[in-house]
Amino acid sequence: MKRSGGCTNTSGPISNPEVQPVTVVAALVEGSNKGGGATTIFLARRAGPGRHAGLWELPGGKLEPGETPEAAVVREIREELGVNLILETSPWCYEIQIEGRAFSFIVFPSRFANQDFKLAAHDQWGYFHAGELDGLDLAPLDGPALRDWIARRVGRRATQKE
């Protein structure tokens, strides 16, 4: 299923189509171990106070009125991490309900222009292997994108071994 805005995939529909979802954007940035090791994913831990304090997440935030998703994710990364973002491929899109609220979650596979992070909304950051994600307290909105990332990683490794 293709969605407007260049999204290449979507999750299930919002159960109440009359509810206008909150649009949230995030950057999905991969890294790898030196020496060609397994691919990792960048996550940042949300600083407190707030209900998501201490949760690991793909960095990003809410779309502002009149802003495109692409501009929003670049702005959010600059504000939250202090670095520029380079968008790489079409975004992944998800329609999600959490605690009765509807979200349109747009995830942009990207890379950082540099790694001189100046954390504003987070207190830690790191690159994690797929197997390490189960041990982290993850933000609920990120679950479908992280599961898709893991599935793509496993599929890519299986193809490379053949």
Side-chain angles (χ1 to χ4, degrees):
M1 180 174 180
K2 192 159 177 129
R3 189 185 148 166
S4 62
C7 292
T8 57
N9 69 319
T10 61
S11 64
I14 297 294
S15 61
N16 183 353
E18 296 177 12
V19 174
Q20 183 64 32
V22 175
T23 301
V24 178
V25 296
L28 188 148
V29 177
E30 292 182 325
S32 65
N33 286 338
K34 295 190 186 320
T39 301
T40 56
I41 191 168
F42 180 91
L43 297 173
R45 192 175 78 171
R46 182 64 66 174
R51 70 177 180 196
H52 291 145
L55 299 181
W56 289 90
E57 65 183 1
L58 297 168
K62 293 178 186 166
L63 196 71
E64 292 183 354
E67 191 174 40
T68 66
E70 293 81 1
V73 73
V74 169
R75 174 188 53 76
E76 285 286 346
I77 298 308
R78 195 174 303 121
E79 289 174 2
E80 292 185 358
L81 303 177
V83 296
N84 289 322
L85 189 69
I86 300 163
L87 305 180
E88 293 197 318
T89 62
S90 297
W92 307 352
C93 299
Y94 305 88
E95 301 295 331
I96 303 169
Q97 279 199 351
I98 298 173
E99 298 174 2
R101 290 184 67 193
F103 294 91
S104 177
F105 189 42
I106 305 172
V107 179
F108 290 88
S110 311
R111 62 185 166 90
F112 298 124
N114 62 59
Q115 302 231 358
D116 299 325
F117 300 121
K118 295 168 191 69
L119 302 180
H122 302 91
D123 58 10
Q124 292 183 37
W125 64 271
Y127 284 90
F128 298 91
H129 294 281
E132 296 175 298
L133 298 183
D134 282 341
L136 299 175
D137 290 326
L138 298 170
L141 191 58
D142 294 20
L146 293 173
R147 284 189 294 276
D148 279 354
W149 177 76
I150 290 168
R152 289 170 189 239
R153 294 282 106 222
V154 169
R156 196 174 297 163
R157 279 197 311 265
T159 302
Q160 290 172 348
K161 289 180 181 178
E162 294 174 358

